[in-house]
Amino acid sequence: MSLKTKIMLLAILPMVLVAILITWLGSKGAVLLSEQEIAIFEDNLLDSKRRELRHYVEMAEAAIVHVREAAGGDEELAKQEVRRILNDMTFGVDGYFFAYDSEGVNLVHPIQPELVGQPLIDMQDYSGDYVIRNLLRIADEGGGYHRYLWHNPRRDEVESKLGYVVEISDWGWMYGTGLYLDDISAELRQIRSEVSMNIRQNFFNVSVIVSSMTLIIVILGVAINLHESRLADARLRSLAHRSIQFQVDERRRFSRELHDGINQLMVTVLYRIELAQRKLGQGEMKGLEDLNVGREVLNQAIQEVRRISHDLRPSILDDLGLERGLSALLEHFSERTNIRISKEVALPDNRLPEDIEITLYRLIQEALTNVEKHADASAIALKLDHQGGKVRLDLKDNGCGFDPQENRHMLGIGLRNMRERVELLGGEYRLDSGVGEGTRIRVALPLKGPQVLG
């Protein structure tokens, strides 16, 4: 996996994870909120059922109170009439009244008459609730509501039921009515289904948005990456072309120096030696003068070879290292030009890579040559150190300076070669100059970077 891919993943994955987390938390929050709202809705429906049940029981109570008052002393007759009234009072589809004595014996049940006369005190529903016991207890405590499971004959199913009971205290009776809650359960199921569908739809919408944004970011990243890659390739081709051109120019210069310098000197030496041979062969002692001249020309050739060799590869770097080699270069330059030089050099304990040492040496050498030829300076400040994985060069003179924008022709081959050398090593090069302000060259070379030949 490439570094760019890793960077893209590091940029996209946190966003996707955060979006998924926010979506998940939002969904959980929506579920909790919907459950709370459903619970409130269920309570409101149950409250409505409670009011309805209480209303029915109050109607029954109003109907039987007159019977009890009109019965006089015939209590048994009154009980029969009350049972008849409760048995005949129905409402809705499956609404009815029931009655039990204090022992749990059923007295009234119009829907399930087979239960009449049965002792149901120990009857339990499917949840283990002693229904009749609890209804008797609630009635004895002043009346109230109780929720339990009961068989619905109309649907032939066991369903949740809400009952409301009161007590006829002097008879020891408990009577009341109840409503099945199947309509509430069905409505709640429908609401939960709609809420779940809405949550799933919202989650799907958010997922589509996140996926679309991720895809857009990936496409943009790929497009930017391709654009940057094309720019980098173009820059690399340009650097490669300039590197080749630089090597061609160096070889051309070297060839010219060999042809115009060394070759001409050697031809002169050969000519003097041949001339001396002829003169000495004829017994003329003047041939010794030609040998002396040839020796001097040969010595010049040797010095020229040394100069060219030094230009190709400064041997002082191999012998003394960069710091001492620069000290010798600066000392000779100062003695020759009477220009003061202040230097601060702080290099790593280990020697720098060979290409960096040569480049720094050549940069400083070229800069000193330009100062000597063009700057009319009296002082130079040089600083060379390393920090942040880079070697940094800062060289400034107090000469006349120039305007780089208006005097582009002054940026000759030497300055262009300096910039290209730095760029070929993946470094940074900056030239600052102004009329009357001197010239400053700043260079930063990475200790690990592209290598260059020559």
Side-chain angles (χ1 to χ4, degrees):
M1 186 181 296
S2 65
L3 178 60
K4 291 182 180 179
T5 304
K6 293 179 180 178
I7 293 175
M8 185 177 296
L9 289 177
L10 288 175
I12 295 175
L13 284 180
M15 182 197 70
V16 174
L17 292 177
V18 169
I20 292 175
L21 179 61
I22 292 175
T23 304
W24 180 77
L25 291 176
S27 300
K28 293 290 290 185
V31 170
L32 293 176
L33 181 61
S34 63
E35 288 297 330
Q36 293 175 358
E37 293 179 348
I38 290 172
I40 294 173
F41 180 71
E42 183 179 11
D43 288 340
N44 292 334
L45 292 177
L46 289 175
D47 284 341
S48 175
K49 295 287 186 182
R50 292 187 187 101
R51 288 192 297 270
E52 186 178 356
L53 288 174
R54 191 181 186 93
H55 174 68
Y56 290 142
V57 172
E58 288 174 350
M59 290 176 56
E61 189 175 6
I64 66 177
V65 69
H66 299 293
V67 175
R68 294 178 62 196
E69 292 175 352
D74 194 350
E75 186 177 270
E76 188 60 33
L77 180 63
K79 289 181 178 180
Q80 291 179 2
E81 183 63 16
V82 168
R83 284 198 295 267
R84 185 191 65 79
I85 292 173
L86 293 176
N87 193 73
D88 293 341
M89 289 186 70
T90 59
F91 54 90
V93 178
D94 47 18
Y96 63 90
F97 284 87
F98 54 81
Y100 291 84
D101 65 13
S102 60
E103 301 300 324
V105 177
N106 183 271
L107 302 175
V108 176
H109 204 300
I111 303 300
Q112 293 177 281
E114 68 274 9
L115 297 180
V116 177
Q118 297 293 326
L120 303 178
I121 191 71
D122 293 325
M123 187 191 71
Q124 295 176 273
D125 66 7
Y126 285 97
S127 67
D129 179 26
Y130 287 93
V131 177
I132 307 304
R133 287 186 188 181
N134 286 322
L135 291 174
L136 288 170
R137 175 183 56 78
I138 292 171
D140 183 60
E141 293 173 352
Y145 302 95
H146 184 57
R147 189 169 177 173
Y148 54 92
L149 298 176
W150 196 264
H151 182 264
N152 187 344
R154 180 174 60 85
R155 299 168 61 90
D156 195 24
E157 293 179 359
V158 175
E159 296 178 352
S160 179
K161 190 173 186 178
L162 179 65
Y164 180 75
V165 293
V166 294
E167 184 183 38
I168 304 178
S169 57
D170 53 340
W171 290 358
W173 282 18
M174 172 270 292
Y175 76 96
T177 186
L179 290 173
Y180 290 103
L181 303 178
D182 56 319
D183 55 339
I184 295 179
S185 300
E187 192 165 356
L188 292 178
R189 284 195 299 271
Q190 182 178 357
I191 292 174
R192 284 193 173 91
S193 176
E194 292 175 355
V195 169
S196 298
M197 184 180 299
N198 289 335
I199 291 175
R200 287 195 298 270
Q201 184 64 38
N202 290 335
F203 184 81
F204 174 77
N205 293 337
V206 172
S207 300
V208 170
I209 292 173
V210 172
S211 301
S212 301
M213 293 302 297
T214 302
L215 181 61
I216 291 173
I217 292 174
V218 170
I219 292 174
L220 288 176
V222 171
I224 293 173
N225 187 25
L226 290 175
H227 178 68
E228 292 296 327
S229 296
R230 291 192 183 98
L231 291 179
D233 291 341
R235 183 173 178 80
L236 184 59
R237 286 193 297 269
S238 176
L239 285 174
H241 174 73
R242 284 189 287 174
S243 175
I244 294 172
Q245 187 62 43
F246 176 76
Q247 294 181 24
V248 170
D249 292 341
E250 286 292 302
R251 289 189 175 94
R252 184 181 293 115
R253 181 180 64 84
F254 180 60
S255 175
R256 186 168 55 249
E257 289 183 348
L258 287 178
H259 181 271
D260 297 341
I262 303 299
N263 186 61
Q264 295 300 322
L265 291 174
M266 298 307 294
V267 169
T268 301
V269 171
L270 179 60
Y271 170 74
R272 290 293 180 177
I273 292 175
E274 291 177 347
L275 184 59
Q277 283 180 330
R278 287 198 303 270
K279 288 182 179 180
L280 291 175
Q282 297 173 1
E284 297 181 14
M285 297 305 296
K286 290 184 179 182
L288 294 177
E289 295 179 5
D290 292 318
L291 287 177
N292 289 332
V293 173
R295 182 179 61 81
E296 292 175 1
V297 174
L298 183 59
N299 186 57
Q300 292 178 16
I302 293 173
Q303 296 301 321
E304 186 69 12
V305 169
R306 288 177 178 174
R307 184 189 65 79
I308 295 174
S309 175
H310 182 269
D311 289 342
L312 291 175
R313 166 69 187 182
S315 59
I316 193 171
L317 295 181
D318 297 326
D319 300 335
L320 302 178
L322 178 61
E323 186 170 354
R324 294 177 64 184
L326 288 178
S327 296
L329 176 65
L330 296 175
E331 182 179 348
H332 293 159
F333 177 82
S334 181
E335 290 177 355
R336 187 177 72 254
T337 62
N338 292 322
I339 297 177
R340 298 189 312 275
I341 298 179
S342 62
K343 65 181 179 69
E344 296 180 28
V345 179
L347 295 176
D349 294 335
N350 297 327
R351 290 195 60 171
L352 299 175
E354 181 180 7
D355 52 353
I356 292 181
E357 284 193 346
I358 295 175
T359 299
L360 289 172
Y361 188 88
R362 293 300 189 203
L363 289 175
I364 296 172
Q365 190 178 45
E366 182 67 31
L368 294 178
T369 301
N370 289 336
V371 170
E372 182 180 4
K373 290 181 178 180
H374 309 293
D376 193 22
S378 61
I380 295 175
L382 182 146
K383 183 177 180 181
L384 182 63
D385 60 10
H386 70 286
Q387 55 182 339
K390 293 183 178 181
V391 179
R392 300 181 182 274
L393 168 65
D394 189 333
L395 192 149
K396 186 178 187 307
D397 65 66
N398 64 349
C400 59
F402 64 97
D403 187 341
Q405 298 300 323
E406 296 182 359
N407 299 277
R408 292 182 178 274
H409 62 281
M410 296 183 63
L411 301 177
I413 296 176
L415 291 177
R416 288 199 299 269
N417 288 344
M418 291 168 66
R419 177 183 294 276
E420 290 175 0
R421 279 183 176 272
V422 172
E423 290 179 349
L424 287 172
L425 288 175
E428 303 169 10
Y429 176 90
R430 179 172 178 179
L431 171 67
D432 296 317
S433 185
V435 177
E437 298 178 359
T439 302
R440 184 179 186 183
I441 294 175
R442 283 176 286 183
V443 173
L445 294 173
L447 292 178
K448 292 183 179 179
Q451 302 298 309
V452 64
L453 298 175

